[in-house]
Coordinates of all heavy atoms in Angstrom, one line a residue:
M15 N 0.8 -1.2 0.0 CA 0.0 0.0 0.0 C 0.8 1.2 0.0 O 1.8 1.3 0.8 CB -0.9 -0.1 1.2 CG -1.7 1.1 1.3 SD -2.8 0.8 2.8 CE -4.1 1.8 2.4
T16 N 0.7 2.1 -0.8 CA 1.5 3.4 -0.9 C 0.6 4.5 -0.4 O -0.7 4.5 -0.4 CB 1.9 3.7 -2.4 OG1 0.7 3.8 -3.2 CG2 2.7 2.5 -2.9
T17 N 1.3 5.5 0.1 CA 0.6 6.7 0.6 C 1.4 7.9 0.1 O 2.6 8.0 -0.2 CB 0.8 6.7 2.2 OG1 0.2 7.9 2.6 CG2 2.1 6.4 2.7
L18 N 0.7 9.1 0.0 CA 1.3 10.3 -0.5 C 1.9 11.1 0.7 O 2.7 12.0 0.4 CB 0.1 11.2 -1.1 CG -0.6 10.5 -2.3 CD1 -1.8 11.5 -2.6 CD2 0.3 10.3 -3.4
A19 N 1.8 10.7 1.9 CA 2.3 11.5 3.0 C 3.8 11.0 3.1 O 4.1 9.9 3.0 CB 1.6 11.2 4.3
Q20 N 4.6 12.0 3.5 CA 6.1 11.6 3.7 C 6.2 11.2 5.1 O 5.5 11.6 6.0 CB 6.9 12.8 3.5 CG 6.9 13.3 1.9 CD 7.6 14.6 1.8 OE1 8.1 15.1 2.8 NE2 7.9 15.0 0.5
P21 N 7.3 10.4 5.4 CA 7.6 10.0 6.7 C 7.9 11.3 7.6 O 8.4 12.3 7.1 CB 8.8 9.1 6.7 CG 8.8 8.7 5.2 CD 8.2 9.8 4.4
A22 N 7.7 11.2 8.8 CA 7.9 12.3 9.8 C 9.3 12.8 9.9 O 9.6 13.9 10.2 CB 7.4 11.9 11.2
D23 N 10.3 11.9 9.6 CA 11.7 12.4 9.7 C 12.1 13.2 8.5 O 13.1 13.9 8.7 CB 12.6 11.1 9.8 CG 12.4 10.2 8.6 OD1 11.4 10.3 7.9 OD2 13.2 9.3 8.5
R24 N 11.3 13.2 7.5 CA 11.7 14.1 6.4 C 11.0 15.5 6.5 O 11.4 16.4 5.7 CB 11.2 13.4 5.2 CG 11.9 12.2 4.7 CD 11.5 11.9 3.3 NE 12.4 10.8 2.9 CZ 12.2 10.2 1.7 NH1 11.4 10.5 1.0 NH2 13.1 9.1 1.4
L25 N 10.1 15.7 7.4 CA 9.5 17.0 7.6 C 10.4 18.0 8.2 O 11.2 17.6 9.1 CB 8.2 16.9 8.4 CG 7.1 16.1 7.8 CD1 5.9 15.9 8.7 CD2 6.6 16.7 6.4
A26 N 10.3 19.2 7.9 CA 11.0 20.3 8.5 C 10.7 20.4 10.0 O 9.5 20.2 10.4 CB 10.9 21.6 7.9
P27 N 11.7 20.7 10.9 CA 11.3 20.8 12.3 C 10.3 22.2 12.5 O 10.4 23.0 11.9 CB 12.6 21.0 13.0 CG 13.6 21.5 12.0 CD 13.0 20.9 10.7
V28 N 9.4 21.9 13.5 CA 8.5 23.0 13.7 C 9.0 24.0 14.7 O 9.5 23.6 15.8 CB 7.1 22.4 14.3 CG1 6.2 23.5 14.7 CG2 6.6 21.3 13.2
R29 N 9.1 25.2 14.4 CA 9.6 26.2 15.3 C 8.4 26.7 16.2 O 7.3 26.8 15.8 CB 10.1 27.4 14.5 CG 11.3 27.1 13.7 CD 11.9 28.4 13.1 NE 10.8 29.2 12.6 CZ 11.0 30.3 12.2 NH1 12.1 30.9 12.0 NH2 10.0 31.1 11.7
P30 N 8.7 26.9 17.5 CA 7.6 27.5 18.3 C 7.3 28.9 17.9 O 8.0 29.7 17.4 CB 8.3 27.5 19.8 CG 9.8 27.4 19.5 CD 10.0 26.8 18.2
I31 N 6.0 29.1 18.0 CA 5.4 30.5 17.7 C 5.8 31.5 18.8 O 6.2 32.7 18.4 CB 3.9 30.5 17.5 CG1 3.5 29.5 16.3 CG2 3.3 31.8 17.3 CD1 2.1 29.3 16.2
A32 N 5.7 31.2 20.0 CA 6.1 32.1 21.0 C 7.4 31.6 21.7 O 7.6 30.4 21.7 CB 4.9 32.1 22.1
R33 N 8.1 32.6 22.2 CA 9.4 32.2 22.8 C 9.0 31.5 24.2 O 8.1 31.8 24.9 CB 10.2 33.4 23.1 CG 10.8 34.1 21.9 CD 11.7 35.2 22.3 NE 11.0 36.3 22.9 CZ 11.6 37.4 23.4 NH1 13.0 37.4 23.3 NH2 11.0 38.3 23.9
G34 N 10.0 30.6 24.6 CA 9.7 29.9 25.8 C 10.2 30.7 27.0 O 9.9 30.4 28.2
L35 N 11.1 31.6 26.8 CA 11.6 32.4 28.0 C 10.6 33.6 28.4 O 10.0 34.1 27.4 CB 13.0 33.0 27.6 CG 14.1 32.0 27.1 CD1 15.3 32.7 26.7 CD2 14.4 31.2 28.4
P36 N 10.6 33.8 29.6 CA 9.7 35.0 30.0 C 10.3 36.2 29.4 O 11.5 36.5 29.4 CB 9.7 34.9 31.5 CG 10.9 34.1 31.8 CD 11.2 33.3 30.7
V37 N 9.3 37.2 29.0 CA 9.7 38.5 28.6 C 9.9 39.4 29.8 O 9.0 39.4 30.8 CB 8.6 39.1 27.7 CG1 8.9 40.4 27.2 CG2 8.4 38.2 26.5
P38 N 11.1 40.0 30.0 CA 11.4 40.8 31.1 C 10.3 42.0 31.2 O 10.1 42.7 30.3 CB 12.7 41.4 30.9 CG 13.3 40.8 29.7 CD 12.2 40.0 29.0
G39 N 9.7 42.0 32.5 CA 8.8 43.2 32.7 C 7.4 42.9 32.1 O 6.6 43.9 32.0
A40 N 7.1 41.7 31.7 CA 5.8 41.5 31.0 C 4.6 41.6 32.0 O 3.6 41.9 31.6 CB 5.8 40.1 30.3
G41 N 4.9 41.2 33.2 CA 4.0 41.2 34.2 C 3.7 42.5 35.0 O 2.8 42.7 35.8
I42 N 4.6 43.5 34.6 CA 4.5 44.7 35.4 C 3.9 45.8 34.5 O 4.2 45.9 33.2 CB 6.0 45.2 35.7 CG1 6.7 44.2 36.6 CG2 5.9 46.6 36.2 CD1 8.1 44.4 36.8
L43 N 3.0 46.5 35.0 CA 2.4 47.6 34.4 C 3.2 48.8 34.3 O 3.6 49.3 35.3 CB 1.0 47.9 35.0 CG 0.2 49.0 34.4 CD1 -0.2 48.6 33.0 CD2 -1.1 49.4 35.2
R44 N 3.7 49.2 33.1 CA 4.6 50.3 33.0 C 3.9 51.6 32.8 O 3.2 51.7 31.9 CB 5.6 50.1 31.9 CG 6.4 48.8 32.0 CD 7.5 48.8 31.0 NE 8.4 47.7 31.2 CZ 9.5 47.7 31.9 NH1 10.0 48.7 32.4 NH2 10.2 46.6 32.0
L45 N 4.0 52.4 33.8 CA 3.4 53.8 33.8 C 4.4 54.9 33.8 O 5.6 54.6 34.6 CB 2.5 53.9 35.1 CG 1.3 53.0 35.2 CD1 0.6 53.3 36.4 CD2 0.3 53.2 34.1
G46 N 4.3 55.9 33.2 CA 5.2 57.0 33.1 C 4.9 57.8 34.4 O 4.1 57.5 35.2
P47 N 5.5 59.0 34.6 CA 5.4 59.8 35.7 C 3.9 60.3 35.8 O 3.3 60.3 36.9 CB 6.3 61.0 35.5 CG 7.3 60.5 34.5 CD 6.6 59.5 33.7
A48 N 3.3 60.7 34.7 CA 1.8 61.1 34.7 C 1.0 60.0 35.1 O 0.0 60.2 35.8 CB 1.5 61.6 33.3
G49 N 1.2 58.8 34.6 CA 0.3 57.6 34.9 C 0.4 57.3 36.4 O -0.5 56.9 37.1
R50 N 1.7 57.3 37.0 CA 1.8 57.0 38.5 C 1.1 58.1 39.2 O 0.5 57.8 40.2 CB 3.3 57.0 38.7 CG 4.1 55.7 38.4 CD 5.4 55.6 39.0 NE 6.3 56.6 38.5 CZ 7.1 56.6 37.5 NH1 7.2 55.6 36.7 NH2 7.9 57.7 37.2
T51 N 1.2 59.4 38.8 CA 0.6 60.4 39.5 C -0.9 60.2 39.5 O -1.7 60.3 40.6 CB 0.9 61.9 38.9 OG1 2.3 62.0 39.0 CG2 0.2 62.9 39.7
I52 N -1.5 59.9 38.4 CA -2.9 59.7 38.3 C -3.4 58.5 39.1 O -4.4 58.5 39.8 CB -3.3 59.4 36.8 CG1 -3.2 60.8 36.1 CG2 -4.7 58.8 36.6 CD1 -3.3 60.6 34.6
A53 N -2.5 57.4 39.2 CA -2.8 56.2 40.0 C -2.8 56.6 41.5 O -3.7 56.1 42.1 CB -1.9 55.1 39.6
V54 N -1.9 57.4 41.9 CA -1.9 57.8 43.2 C -3.0 58.6 43.7 O -3.6 58.5 44.7 CB -0.5 58.5 43.6 CG1 -0.5 59.2 44.9 CG2 0.7 57.5 43.5
V55 N -3.4 59.6 42.9 CA -4.5 60.4 43.1 C -5.8 59.6 43.2 O -6.6 59.7 44.1 CB -4.6 61.6 42.0 CG1 -6.0 62.2 42.1 CG2 -3.6 62.5 42.2
Y56 N -6.1 58.6 42.2 CA -7.3 57.9 42.3 C -7.2 57.0 43.5 O -8.2 56.8 44.1 CB -7.4 57.1 41.0 CG -8.1 57.9 39.9 CD1 -7.5 58.2 38.7 CD2 -9.4 58.4 40.0 CE1 -8.1 58.9 37.7 CE2 -10.0 59.1 39.0 CZ -9.4 59.4 38.0 OH -10.0 60.1 36.9
G57 N -6.1 56.3 43.7 CA -6.0 55.5 44.9 C -6.3 56.3 46.3 O -7.0 55.7 47.1
T58 N -5.7 57.5 46.4 CA -6.0 58.3 47.5 C -7.5 58.5 47.6 O -8.0 58.6 48.7 CB -5.2 59.5 47.5 OG1 -3.7 59.2 47.4 CG2 -5.3 60.4 48.7
C59 N -8.1 59.0 46.6 CA -9.5 59.3 46.6 C -10.3 58.1 47.0 O -11.3 58.2 47.8 CB -10.0 59.8 45.2 SG -9.4 61.5 44.8
L60 N -10.0 56.9 46.5 CA -10.7 55.7 46.9 C -10.5 55.4 48.4 O -11.5 55.0 49.0 CB -10.2 54.5 46.0 CG -10.8 53.1 46.4 CD1 -12.3 53.1 46.0 CD2 -10.1 52.1 45.6
L61 N -9.3 55.5 48.8 CA -9.1 55.2 50.3 C -9.9 56.2 51.1 O -10.4 55.9 52.2 CB -7.7 55.3 50.6 CG -6.9 54.0 50.1 CD1 -5.4 54.3 50.4 CD2 -7.3 52.8 50.7
L62 N -9.9 57.5 50.8 CA -10.6 58.6 51.5 C -12.1 58.2 51.4 O -12.8 58.4 52.5 CB -10.3 59.8 50.9 CG -11.0 61.1 51.6 CD1 -10.5 61.1 53.1 CD2 -10.5 62.3 50.9
A63 N -12.6 57.9 50.3 CA -14.0 57.5 50.2 C -14.4 56.3 51.0 O -15.5 56.2 51.6 CB -14.5 57.3 48.7
L64 N -13.5 55.4 51.1 CA -13.9 54.2 51.9 C -13.7 54.5 53.4 O -14.4 54.0 54.3 CB -13.0 53.0 51.5 CG -13.3 52.2 50.3 CD1 -12.2 51.2 49.9 CD2 -14.7 51.6 50.3
A65 N -12.8 55.4 53.7 CA -12.6 55.7 55.2 C -13.7 56.6 55.7 O -14.0 56.5 56.9 CB -11.2 56.3 55.4
Y66 N -14.1 57.4 54.9 CA -15.1 58.5 55.5 C -16.2 58.7 54.3 O -16.4 59.7 53.8 CB -14.4 59.8 55.7 CG -15.1 60.7 56.4 CD1 -16.1 60.4 57.4 CD2 -15.0 62.1 56.2 CE1 -16.8 61.4 58.2 CE2 -15.8 63.1 56.9 CZ -16.7 62.7 57.8 OH -17.4 63.6 58.5
P67 N -17.0 57.5 54.1 CA -18.0 57.8 53.1 C -19.2 58.7 53.5 O -19.9 59.2 52.7 CB -18.5 56.3 52.9 CG -18.3 55.7 54.1 CD -17.1 56.4 54.6
Q68 N -19.4 59.0 54.8 CA -20.5 59.8 55.3 C -20.3 61.2 54.8 O -21.3 61.9 54.6 CB -20.5 59.7 56.8 CG -20.9 58.4 57.3 CD -19.6 57.5 57.5 OE1 -18.6 57.8 57.3 NE2 -19.9 56.2 57.9
A69 N -19.1 61.6 54.6 CA -18.9 63.0 54.2 C -19.4 63.2 52.7 O -19.9 64.2 52.3 CB -17.3 63.4 54.2
L70 N -19.2 62.1 51.9 CA -19.6 62.1 50.5 C -21.2 62.1 50.5 O -21.8 62.8 49.7 CB -19.2 60.9 49.8 CG -19.4 60.8 48.4 CD1 -18.8 61.9 47.6 CD2 -18.7 59.6 47.8
V71 N -21.8 61.4 51.5 CA -23.2 61.3 51.5 C -23.8 62.7 51.9 O -24.7 63.3 51.4 CB -23.7 60.3 52.5 CG1 -25.2 60.3 52.7 CG2 -23.4 58.9 51.9
A72 N -23.1 63.3 52.9 CA -23.6 64.6 53.4 C -23.5 65.8 52.3 O -24.2 66.6 52.1 CB -22.8 65.0 54.7
W73 N -22.3 65.6 51.6 CA -22.1 66.5 50.4 C -23.1 66.4 49.4 O -23.6 67.4 48.8 CB -20.6 66.3 49.9 CG -20.3 67.2 48.8 CD1 -20.0 68.5 48.8 CD2 -20.1 66.8 47.5 NE1 -19.8 69.1 47.5 CE2 -19.7 68.0 46.8 CE3 -20.1 65.6 46.7 CZ2 -19.4 67.9 45.3 CZ3 -19.8 65.5 45.5 CH2 -19.5 66.8 44.7
L74 N -23.5 65.2 49.0 CA -24.5 65.0 48.0 C -25.9 65.3 48.5 O -26.8 65.7 47.6 CB -24.6 63.5 47.6 CG -23.4 63.0 46.7 CD1 -23.4 61.6 46.6 CD2 -23.4 63.8 45.5
D75 N -26.1 65.4 49.7 CA -27.5 65.9 50.3 C -27.6 67.3 50.1 O -28.8 67.9 50.1 CB -27.6 65.5 51.8 CG -27.8 64.0 52.0 OD1 -28.3 63.4 51.0 OD2 -27.6 63.6 53.1
D76 N -26.5 68.1 49.9 CA -26.7 69.6 49.7 C -27.2 69.9 48.3 O -27.5 71.1 48.1 CB -25.4 70.3 50.0 CG -25.0 70.1 51.5 OD1 -25.9 69.9 52.3 OD2 -23.7 70.2 51.9
F77 N -27.1 69.0 47.5 CA -27.5 69.3 46.0 C -29.0 69.3 45.9 O -29.6 68.5 46.6 CB -26.8 68.4 44.9 CG -25.3 68.6 44.8 CD1 -24.4 67.9 45.5 CD2 -24.9 69.6 44.0 CE1 -23.0 68.1 45.4 CE2 -23.6 69.9 43.8 CZ -22.6 69.1 44.5
E78 N -29.6 69.9 44.9 CA -30.9 69.9 44.5 C -31.1 68.5 43.9 O -30.3 68.0 43.1 CB -31.4 70.9 43.5 CG -31.4 72.3 44.2 CD -31.9 73.4 43.3 OE1 -32.6 73.0 42.3 OE2 -31.7 74.6 43.6
P79 N -32.3 67.8 44.2 CA -32.6 66.5 43.6 C -32.6 66.5 42.2 O -33.3 67.4 41.5 CB -33.8 66.0 44.2 CG -34.1 67.0 45.3 CD -33.3 68.3 45.2
N80 N -31.9 65.6 41.4 CA -32.0 65.4 40.1 C -31.5 64.0 39.8 O -30.9 63.4 40.6 CB -31.2 66.5 39.2 CG -29.7 66.5 39.5 OD1 -29.0 65.4 39.5 ND2 -29.2 67.7 39.7
P81 N -31.7 63.5 38.5 CA -31.2 62.1 38.3 C -29.8 61.8 38.5 O -29.3 60.7 39.0 CB -31.6 61.9 36.8 CG -32.7 62.9 36.6 CD -32.4 64.1 37.4
A82 N -28.9 62.7 38.3 CA -27.5 62.5 38.5 C -27.2 62.4 39.9 O -26.3 61.6 40.4 CB -26.7 63.6 37.8
V83 N -27.8 63.3 40.7 CA -27.6 63.2 42.2 C -28.2 62.0 42.7 O -27.5 61.4 43.7 CB -28.2 64.5 42.9 CG1 -28.0 64.4 44.4 CG2 -27.4 65.7 42.4
D84 N -29.2 61.5 42.3 CA -29.9 60.3 42.8 C -29.0 59.1 42.4 O -28.8 58.2 43.3 CB -31.2 60.0 42.1 CG -32.2 61.0 42.5 OD1 -32.0 61.8 43.5 OD2 -33.3 61.3 41.8
A85 N -28.4 59.1 41.3 CA -27.5 58.0 41.0 C -26.2 58.1 41.9 O -25.7 57.0 42.3 CB -27.0 58.0 39.5
A86 N -25.7 59.2 42.1 CA -24.5 59.4 43.0 C -24.8 59.0 44.4 O -24.0 58.4 45.1 CB -23.9 60.8 42.9
Q87 N -26.0 59.3 44.9 CA -26.4 59.0 46.3 C -26.6 57.5 46.4 O -26.2 56.9 47.4 CB -27.7 59.7 46.7 CG -27.5 61.1 47.0 CD -28.8 61.8 47.2 OE1 -29.9 61.4 46.8 NE2 -28.8 62.9 48.0
A88 N -27.0 56.8 45.3 CA -27.1 55.3 45.4 C -25.7 54.7 45.4 O -25.5 53.8 46.2 CB -27.9 54.8 44.2
C89 N -24.8 55.2 44.7 CA -23.4 54.7 44.8 C -22.8 55.0 46.1 O -22.0 54.2 46.6 CB -22.6 55.4 43.6 SG -23.1 54.9 42.0
A90 N -23.1 56.2 46.6 CA -22.5 56.6 48.0 C -23.1 55.7 49.0 O -22.3 55.3 49.9 CB -22.8 58.0 48.3
S91 N -24.4 55.3 48.9 CA -24.9 54.4 49.9 C -24.3 53.0 49.9 O -24.0 52.4 50.9 CB -26.4 54.3 49.8 OG -26.8 53.7 48.6
R92 N -23.9 52.6 48.6 CA -23.2 51.3 48.5 C -21.8 51.4 49.0 O -21.3 50.5 49.5 CB -23.2 50.9 47.0 CG -24.5 50.4 46.4 CD -24.3 50.0 45.0 NE -25.6 49.9 44.4 CZ -26.0 50.7 43.3 NH1 -25.1 51.5 42.8 NH2 -27.1 50.5 42.9
L93 N -21.2 52.6 48.9 CA -19.8 52.8 49.4 C -19.8 52.8 50.9 O -18.9 52.2 51.5 CB -19.4 54.1 48.8 CG -17.9 54.5 49.1 CD1 -17.1 53.4 48.3 CD2 -17.5 55.8 48.6
V94 N -20.9 53.3 51.5 CA -21.1 53.3 53.1 C -21.2 51.7 53.4 O -20.5 51.3 54.4 CB -22.3 54.1 53.5 CG1 -22.6 53.9 54.9 CG2 -22.0 55.6 53.2
A95 N -22.0 51.1 52.7 CA -22.2 49.6 53.1 C -20.9 48.9 53.0 O -20.6 48.1 53.9 CB -23.3 49.0 52.2
L96 N -20.2 49.1 51.9 CA -18.9 48.5 51.8 C -17.9 48.8 52.9 O -17.2 47.9 53.4 CB -18.3 48.8 50.4 CG -16.8 48.3 50.0 CD1 -17.0 46.7 49.9 CD2 -16.3 48.8 48.8
S97 N -17.9 50.1 53.1 CA -17.0 50.5 54.2 C -17.3 49.9 55.6 O -16.4 49.5 56.4 CB -17.1 52.0 54.4 OG -16.2 52.6 55.5
E98 N -18.7 49.9 55.8 CA -19.1 49.2 57.1 C -18.8 47.7 57.1 O -18.4 47.2 58.1 CB -20.5 49.5 57.4 CG -20.7 50.9 57.7 CD -22.2 51.2 57.8 OE1 -23.2 50.4 57.5 OE2 -22.6 52.4 58.2
S99 N -19.0 47.1 55.9 CA -18.7 45.6 55.9 C -17.2 45.3 56.0 O -16.8 44.2 56.6 CB -19.3 45.0 54.6 OG -18.5 45.5 53.6
L100 N -16.4 46.3 55.6 CA -14.8 46.0 55.7 C -14.4 46.4 57.1 O -13.3 46.1 57.5 CB -14.2 46.8 54.6 CG -14.2 46.4 53.3 CD1 -13.5 47.4 52.4 CD2 -13.6 45.0 53.1
G101 N -15.2 47.1 57.9 CA -14.9 47.5 59.2 C -14.1 48.8 59.3 O -13.5 49.1 60.3
L102 N -14.1 49.5 58.2 CA -13.3 50.8 58.1 C -14.1 51.9 58.8 O -13.5 52.9 59.2 CB -13.0 51.1 56.7 CG -12.0 50.3 56.0 CD1 -12.0 50.6 54.5 CD2 -10.7 50.2 56.6
A103 N -15.4 51.9 58.7 CA -16.3 53.0 59.2 C -16.1 53.3 60.7 O -15.8 54.4 61.2 CB -17.7 52.9 58.9
P104 N -16.2 52.1 61.5 CA -15.9 52.5 63.0 C -14.5 53.0 63.3 O -14.4 53.8 64.2 CB -16.2 51.1 63.6 CG -16.9 50.3 62.5 CD -16.5 50.9 61.4
I105 N -13.5 52.4 62.6 CA -12.2 52.9 62.9 C -12.0 54.3 62.5 O -11.4 55.1 63.3 CB -11.2 52.0 62.1 CG1 -11.2 50.6 62.6 CG2 -9.7 52.5 62.2 CD1 -10.5 49.6 61.8
S106 N -12.5 54.7 61.3 CA -12.3 56.1 60.9 C -13.1 57.0 61.7 O -12.7 58.2 62.1 CB -12.7 56.3 59.4 OG -14.0 56.1 59.3
G107 N -14.3 56.6 62.2 CA -15.1 57.3 63.1 C -14.5 57.6 64.5 O -14.4 58.7 65.0
A108 N -13.8 56.6 65.0 CA -13.1 56.8 66.2 C -11.9 57.6 66.1 O -11.6 58.5 66.9 CB -12.6 55.4 66.7
L109 N -11.2 57.6 65.0 CA -10.1 58.4 64.6 C -10.5 59.9 64.5 O -9.8 60.8 65.0 CB -9.3 58.0 63.5 CG -8.6 56.7 63.6 CD1 -7.9 56.3 62.2 CD2 -7.4 56.9 64.7
R110 N -11.7 60.2 63.9 CA -12.2 61.4 63.7 C -12.5 62.1 65.1 O -12.2 63.3 65.3 CB -13.4 61.5 62.8 CG -13.1 61.7 61.4 CD -14.3 61.9 60.6 NE -15.5 61.2 60.9 CZ -15.8 59.9 60.4 NH1 -14.9 59.3 59.7 NH2 -16.9 59.3 60.8
E111 N -13.2 61.3 65.9 CA -13.5 61.8 67.2 C -12.3 62.1 68.1 O -12.2 63.1 68.8 CB -14.4 60.8 68.0 CG -15.8 60.7 67.4 CD -16.5 62.0 67.4 OE1 -16.5 62.7 68.4 OE2 -17.2 62.2 66.3
R112 N -11.3 61.3 68.0 CA -10.0 61.6 68.7 C -9.4 62.8 68.2 O -8.9 63.6 69.0 CB -9.0 60.3 68.5 CG -7.7 60.5 69.1 CD -7.9 60.3 70.7 NE -6.5 60.4 71.2 CZ -6.3 60.8 72.4 NH1 -7.3 61.2 73.1 NH2 -5.0 60.9 72.8
G113 N -9.4 63.1 66.8 CA -8.8 64.2 66.3 C -9.6 65.5 66.7 O -9.1 66.5 66.9
K114 N -10.9 65.3 66.8 CA -11.7 66.5 67.2 C -11.4 66.8 68.7 O -11.4 68.0 69.1 CB -13.2 66.2 67.2 CG -13.7 66.3 65.7 CD -15.2 65.9 65.7 CE -15.7 65.9 64.3 NZ -17.1 65.4 64.2
D115 N -11.2 65.8 69.5 CA -10.9 66.1 70.9 C -9.5 66.7 71.1 O -9.3 67.5 72.0 CB -10.8 64.7 71.8 CG -12.2 64.0 71.9 OD1 -13.1 64.8 71.8 OD2 -12.3 62.8 72.2
L116 N -8.6 66.4 70.3 CA -7.2 66.9 70.2 C -7.2 68.4 69.8 O -6.4 69.2 70.3 CB -6.2 66.1 69.5 CG -5.9 64.7 70.0 CD1 -5.0 64.0 69.1 CD2 -5.2 64.8 71.3
T117 N -8.1 68.7 68.9 CA -8.0 70.0 68.3 C -9.1 70.9 68.9 O -9.0 72.1 68.5 CB -8.2 70.0 66.8 OG1 -9.4 69.3 66.5 CG2 -7.0 69.2 66.2
R118 N -9.9 70.5 69.8 CA -10.9 71.3 70.3 C -10.4 72.3 71.3 O -9.5 72.1 72.1 CB -11.9 70.4 71.1 CG -13.2 71.1 71.5 CD -14.2 70.1 72.1 NE -14.8 69.4 70.9 CZ -15.1 68.1 70.9 NH1 -14.9 67.5 72.0 NH2 -15.6 67.5 69.9
K119 N -10.9 73.5 71.2 CA -10.4 74.7 72.0 C -11.0 74.5 73.5 O -12.1 74.1 73.6 CB -10.7 76.0 71.4 CG -10.0 76.3 70.1 CD -10.5 77.6 69.7 CE -9.7 78.0 68.4 NZ -10.1 79.3 67.8
P120 N -10.1 74.8 74.4 CA -10.8 74.6 75.7 C -11.8 75.8 76.0 O -11.7 77.0 75.5 CB -9.6 74.8 76.7 CG -8.5 75.4 75.8 CD -8.8 75.1 74.4
D121 N -12.8 75.5 76.9 CA -13.8 76.5 77.0 C -13.4 77.6 78.0 O -12.6 77.5 78.8 CB -15.0 75.8 77.7 CG -15.7 74.9 76.6 OD1 -15.5 75.3 75.4 OD2 -16.3 74.0 77.0

């Protein structure tokens, strides 16, 4: 019986499509100075919002009701719930009260 296929030893070796060695810095997100600054600012805002979400809720209460404020208040209420579930709200509340005691003027 004859076949049209050549034996495997006559075929050219298959080269890998991707290199087997890891690419240096492939897992690291490379940001320039502006990108690092933006990341730090957004991270700080997130930590502040998680540590003291009641300030955000109180600030939103000062606006006149409209659909955008309603959406922001819904997000702020979720942020309050997240902060309380993480246990950050009681800690930040105690720290705020301690700061007020330290900076309060004597009568």
Side-chain angles (χ1 to χ4, degrees):
M15 178 176 202
T16 60
T17 172
L18 297 176
Q20 297 176 351
D23 58 343
R24 289 189 173 175
L25 297 176
V28 178
R29 294 183 322 173
I31 295 174
R33 292 190 294 179
L35 299 174
V37 178
I42 299 172
L43 180 63
R44 296 193 179 264
L45 298 173
R50 284 192 298 270
T51 302
I52 291 170
V54 167
V55 168
Y56 276 118
T58 303
C59 289
L60 177 65
L61 288 175
L62 184 60
L64 283 174
Y66 191 37
Q68 296 84 3
L70 188 58
V71 172
W73 179 67
L74 289 171
D75 287 341
D76 292 339
F77 288 99
E78 291 186 20
N80 64 50
V83 172
D84 293 340
Q87 285 175 333
C89 291
S91 66
R92 290 187 196 112
L93 195 60
V94 169
L96 177 65
S97 176
E98 289 174 353
S99 69
L100 291 174
L102 295 174
I105 295 170
S106 66
L109 289 173
R110 270 193 318 279
E111 291 302 319
R112 179 71 177 155
K114 287 178 184 177
D115 291 341
L116 292 173
T117 58
R118 191 169 289 141
K119 293 181 180 178
D121 292 333

